[in-house]
Amino acid sequence: MKTTLPWLSRAPKTVLAIACLAASLGAAAAEWPDRPITIVVGYAPGGANDVIARFLAEKLQPVLKQTIIVENRAGVASIVGAQAVARAKPDGYTLLMGASGPMVFNHALYSRLPYKPSDFAPISLTGTFPLVLIANKDDPARNVKELVDASIRNPERSNYGASAASFQLITELFNEATGAKFSHIGYKGSMESVSAVMSKTVSMTIIDPGPAATAISSGRARPLAVTSAERMKQYPDIPTMKELGIDSTVTLWSGLFAPANTPPEIVKRLHAEVERIVTTPDARARLESLGVTAAASSSPAQFAELIDGEIARWKQVAKRSGVKAD
């Protein structure tokens, strides 16, 4: 005798479809992963985000028992890569190695984007890093106060290099916090901004530690401050902006994301594995070589809360400074 549940027989087709989808996703999550996984990087190969993604892929493969492919989809402000993952099927097979730029600053700098924060499921922070303010080695300013005072006295000869709108926005926050009068000069990449400092084309730049490292170690650039809340291990003698009384503390980050609606079981599994990997001595050493600090424990919910707070903060800075990327 055939038995039919009364409520099911009367259920609208949409309810039945949702029930079938939920059952399908549950089965998929239970079997995951049964084929290769792709981690999309929105930058060209060789940068910190790319190196972190390849390190994670290397460490995740034996644990998940699947090939993990790192795919570089470089594009303006990493929009291409983020958009690709936002539109991907939420099945755990397409992930994003996201960074502060596309996941936070783009929302403050662009009037319209082909993705929104709710298009992603944050999985885990992987690393954080501050920025370093550097000036030319021969600049008469020996500290941040002298550099700022010089810009106020001679605004027509004071400028800064920024390779992206996010770095421009961060430096405008520095201008706002100190009363400095540095004008923006744009460059295509971080190394170009550093080279401009070394050649005295610009007065200073606020940049990530990786590109600045060679210039600092060779003595061709002088680090004057870092934007982290605490001094960097690599530069213990360099004061923080906070120590100098400057309200310009900034910490950038990278992290792993999945498309929204990825089964929570998959997100939970990935979070646990990534958190385990980034806290190993091997990972800490690898990240430190890039000027990155392995991220402390942070749940997907805490990661999402961090992103929401930072978007709100930088939207206000962009509004006050008038900086836009479009």
Side-chain angles (χ1 to χ4, degrees), residues 121-147:
I123 294 171
S124 182
L125 275 171
T126 54
T128 61
F129 59 94
L131 303 178
V132 186
L133 186 160
I134 61 172
N136 185 274
K137 66 180 180 65
D138 296 323
D139 194 297
R142 310 303 294 182
N143 54 52
V144 171
K145 184 180 184 306
E146 291 178 1
L147 191 72

Side-chain angles (χ1 to χ4, degrees), residues 182-217:
F182 294 104
S183 299
H184 171 242
I185 296 180
Y187 290 93
K188 292 181 180 179
S190 295
M191 290 307 303
E192 288 189 16
S193 294
V194 174
S195 295
V197 169
M198 293 191 294
S199 65
K200 298 184 181 181
T201 305
V202 298
S203 310
M204 64 94 158
T205 188
I206 299 178
I207 203 75
D208 39 320
T214 301
I216 294 172
S217 63

Side-chain angles (χ1 to χ4, degrees), residues 4-34:
T4 304
L5 296 175
W7 66 269
L8 189 57
S9 63
R10 295 193 301 270
K13 290 182 179 179
T14 51
V15 174
L16 291 174
I18 291 170
C20 290
L21 176 61
S24 173
L25 287 174
E31 297 169 0
W32 180 90
D34 62 2

